[in-house]
Amino acid sequence: MNFKGKTAIITGSARGIGKAILLKLASKGVNVVINYLNQNKENIDDILKTCYDLEVSAIAVKCDVSDFKSSENLIEETIKEFGKIDILVNNAGITRDGLLMRMKEEDFCDVININLKGTFNCTRHAVKYMVKERYGSIINISSVVGITGNQGQANYSASKAGVIGFTKSCAKEFGSRGITVNAIAPGFIETDMTDSLKDEIKEKMLSMIPLKRIGSGDDVASLVCFLASDYARYITGQVINVDGGMVM
């Protein structure tokens, strides 16, 4: 995979799956933009140092992806530093789980605004630069629950299903301009959020996974690298599960 000279923005990349994606791309020679909102400066500095050790250029931009103007600033700062955007990974997301009858309106709106509207905001501002270059790869991080639904996650499932519909529409709009748009639907992936789950819940989840293990951020990151590479230039509008076979 030849990524020399490429630039990538990965939203929500200060921790979890986003961080794994960013470091994987950096290890392949991609110049990267770290997007963060609430993480402490020491954490961001550590990621920047790792990128410099990998001999790639990196910047960190604080941005609330749910805010249209803040997202525009993220894109403009990237253009100012690197002059182009080759890869956009819309990864930023939150959960506010709860049964629908008890779900607060703000819990529904916050999840939609970050997970779905944030994907729109960043794509909307980045794609005009990709169109000029007639080249680009947009990879949206959805979820298997955007396909299957899940009790207690009506807001999250709706947001991730929306990301899938958004992905397919963008693939049709921008395909003639040399821009691919695909979605990844992770299953049960080891993150800070899953670490806090009770053991009995983890065991129940594992029983549903044919490969009998929890996925890692690196499993998702490896697919991002493939979809962002020239090996995947004839793949667009697809939703690919990374779930150990949990959803078939």
Side-chain angles (χ1 to χ4, degrees):
M1 297 181 182
N2 183 12
F3 286 112
K4 188 174 182 180
K6 294 286 197 301
T7 297
I9 300 172
I10 303 92
T11 67
S13 48
R15 64 186 180 92
I17 292 173
K19 180 179 176 181
I21 292 169
L22 182 134
L23 293 178
K24 175 73 87 171
L25 286 170
S27 74
K28 302 295 183 182
V30 180
N31 298 320
V32 292
V33 178
I34 306 161
N35 161 236
Y36 69 100
L37 184 58
N38 297 317
Q39 282 70 30
N40 62 57
K41 186 176 184 298
E42 290 76 14
N43 183 39
I44 302 302
D45 287 344
D46 286 345
I47 299 172
L48 285 168
K49 183 180 183 303
T50 301
C51 292
Y52 300 150
D53 289 343
L54 292 168
E55 300 182 346
V56 298
S57 297
I59 61 171
V61 181
K62 186 175 182 178
C63 164
D64 177 0
V65 298
S66 69
D67 182 87
F68 193 73
K69 293 298 291 183
S70 183
S71 299
E72 183 178 31
N73 181 66
L74 170 64
I75 303 305
E76 295 304 323
E77 287 296 316
T78 302
I79 294 298
K80 187 186 301 182
E81 180 71 22
F82 297 109
K84 63 174 182 170
I85 303 165
D86 300 293
I87 303 160
L88 170 64
V89 183
N90 286 305
N91 165 79
I94 63 167
T95 57
R96 295 284 186 272
D97 295 350
L99 295 175
L100 185 65
M101 290 183 66
R102 299 174 185 170
M103 187 174 290
K104 297 177 182 178
E105 181 184 8
E106 56 265 35
D107 289 339
F108 187 87
C109 291
D110 286 348
V111 170
I112 295 294
N113 283 338
I114 292 175
N115 298 6
L116 181 55
K117 184 171 179 280
T119 298
F120 160 76
N121 287 341
C122 294
T123 303
R124 167 68 172 76
H125 293 303
V127 78
K128 64 182 180 181
Y129 294 103
M130 293 181 172
V131 166
K132 287 179 183 178
E133 298 289 331
R134 299 191 70 83
Y135 180 90
S137 176
I138 299 171
I139 301 160
N140 300 321
I141 306 301
S142 180
S143 169
V144 292
V145 303
I147 300 168
T148 66
N150 194 31
Q151 66 180 32
Q153 289 192 307
N155 48 3
Y156 188 74
S157 297
S159 72
K160 294 303 187 178
V163 166
I164 290 172
F166 180 79
T167 297
K168 291 177 178 292
S169 296
C170 288
K172 290 183 175 182
E173 284 193 32
F174 303 123
S176 64
R177 305 301 181 92
I179 301 166
T180 62
V181 190
N182 292 288
I184 295 174
F188 193 33
I189 305 296
E190 189 172 6
T191 63
D192 293 341
M193 287 189 289
T194 58
D195 284 345
S196 64
L197 293 174
K198 295 178 180 179
D199 288 341
E200 55 265 32
I201 295 176
K202 290 182 181 180
E203 289 172 10
K204 182 179 178 181
M205 296 296 292
L206 280 172
S207 70
M208 300 165 59
I209 302 171
L211 289 184
K212 298 302 176 188
R213 71 173 178 87
I214 299 173
S216 69
D218 197 60
D219 291 320
V220 179
S222 295
L223 179 55
V224 169
C225 284
F226 170 71
L227 290 174
S229 75
D230 288 342
Y231 290 117
R233 293 311 297 166
Y234 201 58
I235 299 173
T236 196
Q238 302 305 303
V239 183
I240 304 175
N241 294 4
V242 180
D243 64 358
M246 185 169 67
V247 176
M248 297 188 187

